[in-house]
Amino acid sequence: MEKEKKQEVVIYGILWFVILTIVPVIMFFQGYTMRIPFRFEDLLHIWLGILPFFVLFLFHDFLATPLLLEKRNLAAYIGALLGLTVLFAAYIWASRGAPGGPPPPGGQAPPSPGGRELPTTPEVLKVIMGLLMMGVNVGVKYYMKSVRGERRMQELQAENLGRQLETLRYQINPHFFMNTLNNIHALVDIDPEQAKASIEEFSKMMRHVLYEGDRPTIPLAKEMDFLRHYVYLMKLRYADTVRVVLSLPDKNEGAEIPPLMLTTFVENAFKHGISYEKPSFVHVTLSVEDGKIVFHCVNSRREPVKSDHTGVGLVNVRRRLDLLYGDRYTLHIDQSGDVYDVLLLFPATANLKKEGA
């Protein structure tokens, strides 16, 4: 039984429990106030009077409402509703003179005005109560249907989110590998020994991607290790004239991060910010402040005239941030002059919208 169906059964159970228990409570206090002894026969008689309403509820819930909600046949539902109402009214009128009702206080029924028999107003009220009960039944059904639809919509959105994020991961990883392999290829001609060291560092990075890349989030410490390997590899390629600063926190307070989220910015900083013709720099700072991860990457610009600095990696990172954090992150990019400045703030906790969740 699905969750919404269980909730619906609980709602009906509570309503009928209240109906059946409120009667003896009222009878007890009424008898205590009017000094009338409490008789179980009276309570049983009232419960027997409630029984037709319960039977009407069962027929309406199991036979009539599916015509309206599942088969969406309004005409058939109206026909079933009229049929149940007629049968219920016929039973009420047929049983109105049945003996066994509890006598009123004093043992005599109150005389009707003018000595005439009272009209069938109590029976009409019972039919109206039956109609109201069926209306409440339909209302609860529609409410639970809306809850069920909302839950299914959330499941579809989560499934779609997971597929989109998985697609983005498959786009980011080949893009990253291609650039890294190009860097190692360049080192082979420049310095074979450094190329060997780069391959060793690259193997560590590959291990990280293979074992951590498919997880929704990973500890920030592992992502920082990945950044260290990557920056080490890049520093092997460039001369000492390139100023590379990597500042990482000693404590990360259990923060978690989607894998390769920050590496794309660092990768683009080296790719677009390093020049062999003039001094260049890459400064990367990472910290955890007030439950947020603060990432700051500043680099020189190799081509300050060119305004389009975003490649496939950055476009996908923006998309991942939108899907994962919605409006709970801040990404500010300043590319004025000879400096490219990236400031990213996003929640440090993992219990947000996770990839594939």
Side-chain angles (χ1 to χ4, degrees):
M1 184 183 296
E2 60 183 9
K3 181 179 180 181
E4 288 76 17
K5 189 63 177 179
K6 292 180 180 178
Q7 292 177 347
E8 183 180 351
V9 172
V10 170
I11 291 175
Y12 293 142
I14 293 175
L15 290 177
W16 283 107
F17 177 78
V18 171
I19 292 173
L20 294 176
T21 56
I22 198 172
V23 172
V25 172
I26 294 176
M27 289 180 61
F28 175 79
F29 281 102
Q30 184 181 17
Y32 179 80
T33 303
M34 303 178 65
R35 300 184 182 279
I36 301 175
F38 178 85
R39 297 191 307 172
F40 181 76
E41 293 80 3
D42 298 342
L43 177 61
L44 182 60
H45 178 85
I46 295 177
W47 278 349
L48 290 175
I50 296 175
L51 182 61
F53 290 91
F54 183 71
V55 174
L56 176 65
F57 164 79
L58 293 178
F59 275 98
H60 181 264
D61 186 72
F62 288 100
L63 298 181
T65 55
L67 298 175
L68 180 63
L69 299 179
E70 298 177 9
K71 298 183 179 180
R72 298 182 180 180
N73 192 332
L74 181 61
Y77 170 74
I78 293 177
L81 181 65
L82 292 175
L84 288 174
T85 304
V86 170
L87 291 175
F88 181 71
Y91 174 81
I92 293 299
W93 256 273
S95 61
R96 60 176 177 167
Q108 297 290 334
S112 59
R116 295 176 299 175
E117 185 179 347
L118 287 173
T120 57
T121 303
E123 284 69 30
V124 174
L125 290 176
K126 290 181 180 180
V127 174
I128 294 175
M129 290 174 59
L131 290 173
L132 291 176
M133 182 190 66
M134 290 187 288
V136 171
N137 185 203
V138 172
V140 173
K141 287 284 188 183
Y142 266 111
Y143 171 73
M144 298 311 301
K145 182 180 179 181
S146 66
V147 172
R148 189 180 301 110
E150 182 178 356
R151 180 179 63 83
R152 289 178 179 174
M153 182 63 65
Q154 291 175 350
E155 291 176 352
L156 290 175
Q157 290 176 350
E159 181 180 357
N160 183 52
L161 171 65
R163 290 178 179 177
Q164 293 182 58
L165 290 169
E166 185 176 0
T167 300
L168 292 177
R169 280 200 298 266
Y170 285 130
Q171 291 175 349
I172 289 175
N173 291 349
H175 179 263
F176 167 76
F177 289 148
M178 178 186 66
N179 291 335
T180 306
L181 288 174
N182 286 337
N183 293 338
I184 295 176
H185 179 267
L187 280 175
V188 170
D189 297 329
I190 298 173
D191 190 337
E193 293 300 322
Q194 286 189 350
K196 293 179 181 179
S198 299
I199 293 174
E200 182 179 353
E201 293 296 321
F202 184 63
S203 67
K204 297 177 181 178
M205 296 163 60
M206 280 287 295
R207 190 179 301 112
H208 174 87
V209 173
L210 289 175
Y211 292 104
E212 309 291 346
D214 289 336
R215 296 183 180 181
T217 59
I218 62 174
L220 181 60
K222 292 186 177 182
E223 189 73 7
M224 290 192 300
D225 288 339
F226 186 83
L227 286 175
R228 290 189 186 95
H229 295 316
Y230 184 80
V231 171
Y232 175 81
L233 189 151
M234 292 296 101
K235 290 174 69 175
L236 288 177
R237 175 180 177 183
Y238 298 107
D240 295 336
T241 55
V242 178
R243 293 181 290 113
V244 180
V245 177
L246 178 62
S247 178
L248 301 176
D250 296 330
K251 297 181 179 180
N252 53 65
E253 301 176 2
E256 296 197 4
I257 181 176
L260 299 180
M261 179 67 75
L262 305 180
T263 307
T264 303
F265 293 105
V266 180
E267 176 189 6
N268 278 273
F270 281 99
K271 180 180 179 181
H272 298 281
I274 303 302
S275 173
Y276 292 101
E277 300 175 356
K278 60 180 181 179
S280 306
F281 68 91
V282 174
H283 294 172
V284 178
T285 304
L286 183 65
S287 61
V288 180
E289 303 173 7
D290 299 327
K292 288 185 176 295
I293 295 176
V294 181
F295 173 78
H296 194 199
C297 182
V298 184
N299 61 271
S300 53
R301 297 186 66 190
R302 186 173 54 193
E303 298 177 0
V305 178
K306 187 178 179 180
S307 60
D308 184 11
H309 188 66
T310 59
V312 175
L314 288 180
V315 171
N316 287 339
V317 166
R318 285 182 179 273
R319 181 61 178 153
R320 289 179 79 193
L321 288 169
D322 289 336
L323 291 172
L324 286 166
Y325 301 106
D327 58 355
R328 296 185 294 275
Y329 80 94
T330 299
L331 176 60
H332 177 71
I333 298 178
D334 183 5
Q335 49 183 335
S336 59
D338 297 334
V339 176
Y340 191 85
D341 192 330
V342 176
L343 178 63
L344 173 62
L345 295 87
F346 58 98
T349 54
N351 54 346
L352 298 168
K353 291 171 61 179
K354 291 187 177 182
E355 296 184 33

